[in-house]
Amino acid sequence: MNAVDDVLEAVRAGRTAQLPGLLEPLDPAQRRVLLTGLKELRRTLRSSRSEQWQDRNLMNPALVVAGAGCNSGAAAAAAWIGATDLRRWTQLPPAATLLDVLAGRDPKWLGDLAHRLAARSATAEEDYPLIRELVRLAGCPMPTTDGCVEGWSMAMASARAPLVFALREDPHVATLVPCLFTTAEPVRSFTSWTLEPGHSHHWPTALATLADEGHVARTTLLDGCVARLLRGGRAAQLRPYQAILEALRPTGEEERERAADWIALAADAPSAVAGSAQQILARLAASGLLTPRMLAEMSGAVLFRPEKKLVRAQLVLLGKELARRPAAAPEILPELAEAFGHADTDIQERALKLAAAHLTDDPALRAGLADRARLLSPAHRARAVEVFGPDAAPDEETGPYREVLPPPPVPVLLAPAPETVAEAVELVAAVVHARTSTVEEFERALDGLVRHAHQDRAALAEALRPALAGRWWLDPAQAHHYTHELPGLEHVAAAVLDMPPSAEPPPALVTWRSDCSHTALHAVTHARVKEAALRITSRPLPFLLATPTTECGALDPRVLIARLVEYDRLGEDPAPADFAQALLRVRRDAAVLPLAAALGTPAGDRLASWLGAAGQPVPVTRRTAGAERYAYGGGAPARLVMDTGERTAVLRGFPHAFRELAGARESAGLCWDGGEDASLIAVLPGDRETLAAWWLPHVTAAAVHQAREGATALPLLAAAGGPAGPALHLAVATGLGARYPEDRLRAVDALLTLAARDDLNALRLGGDLAELIGLGTVKPGRLADSLRTAAATGACATTWAVLAAVLPALLTGTVDPRGAGDLLATAAECVEQCGADSPEPAGLAATASRGGKSRLVIQAARLRDALRRNEKKSESAA
């Protein structure tokens, strides 16, 4: 065995530590021969099957070392060392052994290699220990790529010594510290720390100490932090840079030099950063270092922000400055008027009082403020006219209020089935290769497979095989893994290609997901797919009966009748699962029942029975589930639950896979088995009450737990068919109190869709909300945010109708009134906009007549006054 074979044998055995000694005596020619063998070994490992992962883990470190020693160019060596197929997340390159192999190279070559490794963004961070030693050997500058900065900062943060000691001793601190503020993304070792300031590895404290000791210039840190904050980002990403800034404790002069930056941060940064900048500017103003022009510029931006805390603080600051410098009023008051249009009427009142106190005789100033005063709430308009004159009164509205609702959803017709094999194959490939697909894409692809398999299965298979060539179950090397049924459309495609599983599927298991309604809906879809695949290999169907006629999954009964007539002409009997799904999808229309009965076939009789009494949706029942406590701590509050009854017709005449849709179901538990909501709803598109009852636990989890995406189905349910009863209203009410804004927005969409379709029962929805607030499922603050959004779209009358049913419980002590002030403010805004002259909610007058200036009392009085004004207007008009 020669020297080259010795190295290859050591690599195969994973004897990495022996490689420096084995490589050292090889000349360049032998290394070239060895590199060819190493590449072949690497190619073999890369193409090996997944069960050979142990061989790869054994040989990869040795391959990295041997290949690095054989590549003569720095670029090739960097590509070899940084190759992702030669490393695993549990394995880092053996830096010490690599250095033994590379140490004899020319320093310039080693520096080139270090910079090339640092430029590889995917691996530079984990290669930092190797890069650092290569830089030391080469005597070259340290690379400053983002990956290298990440690796350095992580190495500093994980050092055993206190962070400030590690930074003091590091020779590259002056080079890399400025780079901490210029990386494309925030440095992870910054954003991941949660240590207290006194901790030995607290970055802000360590950097501030370095600045005090002169190891790093203060201006570098100050300018770096400010620049990073100005770039923006999520609050969690900016928090470390803000903490560094606070640890540096800028002097008054340093703050003054960056006044323009603080103004920009106060205008656009996240609340915490903007609040800190606002405090700095307040200090500068108190010291006389902020000019009126700068204060006005700052105010115009801050007063436009929605955060009430920042706006109130700015009004306080303006009040102090106007009292100290009255001559600045002409420059500051026009910007103060920005608050006249704020959504919070309390802020409007404060701004109006401040403007009245410092108004000058300048007619241009008065006219400008009067024009902006038209934005004030009706509650403040009388006072605005007193202060600014009649020009502050808005123009009288000439027409009645018009509610703005989204157009009712119009059913979108499904495109026809693919007419040609090429079209069908293209659609099937798109669905199979996509991570998700729409109802239309899946249904048309499934129907296309069935139709063209019936017409010419050989031609379909010939076109389909190359389109699906990348699927693992078509790979001869992996086909033996195909022992169970494939998911979705691939199961039918495999039948077309005559690729059955290599073994029988195991018996169905009852799992922890078996109680979830989503599992039952998935089972129906799989039953259809399995049946279609089986029929392709035995007796292909001419087409599917259950293909919907609209994108939401509904099936026109006249189309279904026409399909049954064609089946009868062809002498074909409906496939059980396909026909069962067609019945669940068919739109209920009593006028079509005689046409179905006139078919004179068993399928026609069954359809007629289904369109009559047999297919009527089952009622849902309502109950309250008690609070739960979990073994690991925490729990869930009591909540409302909708349970579904039993569908006897489904239990009797439908295939076994459909039986779970028929059984009585309790929806108290959390929903664990998800899926594409539109596809699941398309299984039962005409019974949104049952679907809403099944989805309710998921929506409830979005309100009482940390669950996201819990309300994604609500807009789809609102647009589905069937009655909009107690289950759907309760699901929408729960979604309006979801934890995350995106889920609340979906619930608002559902609310507006119901209103647009004239399906909304505002009294029922308001009663549900009052009960949910009492149980703690819905928090008033979140509900207020949802209803403000609904009103902002132009649906003020709809929003008020819901609030009118919620407020009595909050105002009469039935439930905890905390947060009622926000709901009252939204209600008052809606009443002022839509001119409603409804009776006052119970408890409103008593609440409004209480003493004090709480938000609850102020907004109750505003709502009371608005209702009474509207009542007088109605009486005058009559």
Side-chain angles (χ1 to χ4, degrees), residues 352-423:
L352 180 58
K353 288 180 178 178
L354 195 58
H358 298 279
L359 186 63
T360 68
D361 294 331
D362 184 350
L365 176 61
R366 184 181 295 271
L369 292 174
D371 183 64
R372 297 302 302 277
R374 298 181 180 187
L375 299 174
L376 289 165
S377 165
H380 304 311
R381 286 174 184 169
R383 175 58 179 156
V385 171
E386 291 178 12
V387 175
F388 304 119
D391 290 342
D395 297 332
E396 291 293 330
E397 296 182 4
T398 57
Y401 168 79
R402 294 183 60 184
E403 184 85 342
V404 179
L405 293 172
V410 178
V412 179
L413 295 179
L414 207 70
E419 294 183 0
T420 65
V421 169
E423 185 183 356

Side-chain angles (χ1 to χ4, degrees), residues 431-810:
V431 172
V432 167
H433 290 299
R435 299 181 66 178
T436 60
S437 61
T438 64
V439 173
E440 178 184 18
E441 291 168 339
F442 175 81
E443 293 292 345
R444 291 184 64 234
L446 178 60
D447 193 32
L449 282 177
V450 170
R451 286 176 184 267
H452 290 286
H454 178 268
Q455 295 169 14
D456 191 344
R457 179 181 169 190
L460 177 62
E462 183 180 0
L464 189 61
R465 187 175 295 275
L468 301 182
R471 307 310 293 176
W472 66 268
W473 46 272
L474 282 173
D475 183 355
Q478 302 186 60
H480 66 281
H481 294 298
Y482 176 23
T483 58
H484 308 317
E485 296 168 349
L486 291 168
L489 209 59
E490 290 186 84
H491 191 53
V492 184
V496 172
L497 297 174
D498 199 18
M499 291 282 296
S502 58
E504 289 295 321
L509 300 177
V510 178
T511 70
W512 55 271
R513 300 187 301 172
S514 61
D515 289 336
C516 174
S517 57
H518 286 171
T519 304
L521 295 168
H522 281 301
V524 168
T525 300
H526 180 66
R528 290 181 63 216
V529 167
K530 183 177 179 180
E531 180 184 78
L534 181 63
R535 290 297 296 265
I536 282 175
T537 58
S538 57
R539 183 182 175 184
L541 296 167
F543 53 84
L544 294 176
L545 295 173
T547 302
T549 51
T550 63
E551 290 184 357
C552 67
L555 175 57
D556 189 320
R558 298 179 187 274
V559 173
L560 178 56
I561 289 174
R563 291 173 181 173
L564 289 174
V565 169
E566 181 65 13
Y567 260 49
D568 188 49
R569 187 186 69 80
L570 296 172
E572 191 69 62
D573 292 326
D578 182 37
F579 189 40
Q581 175 64 96
L583 292 178
L584 292 177
R585 282 178 169 170
V586 70
R587 181 170 47 81
R588 304 192 64 79
D589 186 351
V592 183
L593 194 151
L595 298 177
L599 291 175
T601 63
D605 294 341
R606 191 173 172 196
L607 174 58
S609 173
W610 184 261
L611 291 173
Q616 290 290 341
V618 296
V620 293
T621 56
R622 175 176 176 144
R623 62 186 172 87
T624 302
E628 296 179 355
R629 291 295 168 206
Y630 305 143
Y632 53 80
R639 60 204 184 281
L640 295 178
V641 173
M642 304 298 293
D643 298 329
T644 55
E646 186 176 278
R647 293 171 180 262
T648 55
V650 174
L651 285 171
R652 283 197 303 265
F654 282 61
H656 179 75
F658 288 71
R659 303 293 174 81
E660 279 199 64
L661 294 178
R665 187 180 300 277
E666 297 181 355
S667 65
L670 287 178
C671 186
W672 297 108
D673 190 12
E676 290 296 316
D677 290 327
S679 299
L680 298 179
I681 291 172
V683 174
L684 207 63
D687 189 1
R688 53 183 170 176
E689 273 294 279
T690 294
L691 292 170
W694 289 348
W695 251 269
L696 182 58
H698 208 42
V699 182
T700 302
V704 300
H705 298 296
Q706 299 286 340
R708 286 185 181 271
E709 308 295 325
T712 53
L714 290 180
L716 300 173
L717 292 174
L728 182 55
H729 279 75
L730 180 58
V732 172
T734 307
L736 292 172
R739 179 183 184 89
Y740 294 104
E742 56 270 26
D743 280 322
R744 295 198 294 271
L745 188 59
R746 295 180 181 109
V748 171
D749 287 343
L751 167 67
L752 298 177
T753 298
L754 290 177
R757 297 182 64 176
D758 203 22
D759 287 338
L760 178 65
N761 185 327
L763 186 62
R764 169 180 282 164
L765 183 65
D768 287 342
L769 286 168
E771 193 168 357
L772 290 168
I773 291 172
L775 291 173
T777 304
V778 169
K779 291 180 169 48
R782 297 176 186 171
L783 175 60
D785 177 73
S786 295
L787 295 181
R788 274 197 303 270
T789 302
T793 66
C796 292
T798 299
T799 305
W800 163 242
V802 174
L803 279 167
V806 176
L807 291 176
L810 292 166

Side-chain angles (χ1 to χ4, degrees), residues 201-499:
H201 281 71
H202 188 249
W203 271 104
T205 302
L207 290 175
T209 302
L210 289 181
D212 292 341
E213 295 172 351
H215 294 285
V216 179
R218 280 181 62 85
T219 54
T220 298
L221 297 180
L222 286 170
D223 292 340
C225 287
V226 171
R228 190 78 217 198
L229 293 174
L230 286 170
R231 283 174 59 181
R234 298 192 303 273
Q237 295 175 322
L238 300 182
R239 193 175 300 122
Y241 302 99
Q242 186 179 354
I244 295 171
L245 198 59
E246 293 171 355
L248 289 170
R249 297 180 180 178
T251 64
E253 181 59 24
E254 289 171 333
E255 290 179 340
R256 187 195 62 78
E257 291 172 352
R258 296 166 177 82
D261 295 327
W262 309 132
I263 292 174
L265 290 174
D268 298 319
S271 293
V273 177
S276 178
Q278 187 183 45
Q279 292 174 5
I280 293 174
L281 290 166
R283 289 198 296 270
L284 293 176
S287 303
L289 300 176
L290 203 64
T291 66
R293 181 64 260 160
M294 298 171 72
L295 183 59
E297 179 186 353
M298 169 199 180
S299 300
V302 174
L303 294 176
F304 186 73
R305 296 186 64 123
E307 299 96 331
K308 289 182 283 189
K309 182 178 180 180
L310 292 176
V311 174
R312 291 193 188 105
Q314 190 66 22
L315 292 176
V316 171
L317 173 59
L318 290 179
K320 292 179 179 178
E321 286 303 297
L322 286 169
R324 193 169 65 86
R325 291 189 285 187
E331 200 162 10
I332 292 176
L333 288 184
E335 301 299 337
L336 170 66
E338 186 68 48
F340 290 170
H342 198 277
D344 191 322
T345 55
D346 294 344
I347 288 175
Q348 292 182 13
E349 183 179 9
R350 293 188 186 196
L352 180 58
K353 288 180 178 178
L354 195 58
H358 298 279
L359 186 63
T360 68
D361 294 331
D362 184 350
L365 176 61
R366 184 181 295 271
L369 292 174
D371 183 64
R372 297 302 302 277
R374 298 181 180 187
L375 299 174
L376 289 165
S377 165
H380 304 311
R381 286 174 184 169
R383 175 58 179 156
V385 171
E386 291 178 12
V387 175
F388 304 119
D391 290 342
D395 297 332
E396 291 293 330
E397 296 182 4
T398 57
Y401 168 79
R402 294 183 60 184
E403 184 85 342
V404 179
L405 293 172
V410 178
V412 179
L413 295 179
L414 207 70
E419 294 183 0
T420 65
V421 169
E423 185 183 356
V425 167
E426 181 181 2
L427 183 56
V428 170
V431 172
V432 167
H433 290 299
R435 299 181 66 178
T436 60
S437 61
T438 64
V439 173
E440 178 184 18
E441 291 168 339
F442 175 81
E443 293 292 345
R444 291 184 64 234
L446 178 60
D447 193 32
L449 282 177
V450 170
R451 286 176 184 267
H452 290 286
H454 178 268
Q455 295 169 14
D456 191 344
R457 179 181 169 190
L460 177 62
E462 183 180 0
L464 189 61
R465 187 175 295 275
L468 301 182
R471 307 310 293 176
W472 66 268
W473 46 272
L474 282 173
D475 183 355
Q478 302 186 60
H480 66 281
H481 294 298
Y482 176 23
T483 58
H484 308 317
E485 296 168 349
L486 291 168
L489 209 59
E490 290 186 84
H491 191 53
V492 184
V496 172
L497 297 174
D498 199 18
M499 291 282 296

Side-chain angles (χ1 to χ4, degrees), residues 770 774 808-816:
L810 292 166
L811 299 177
T812 59
T814 306
V815 299
D816 189 343

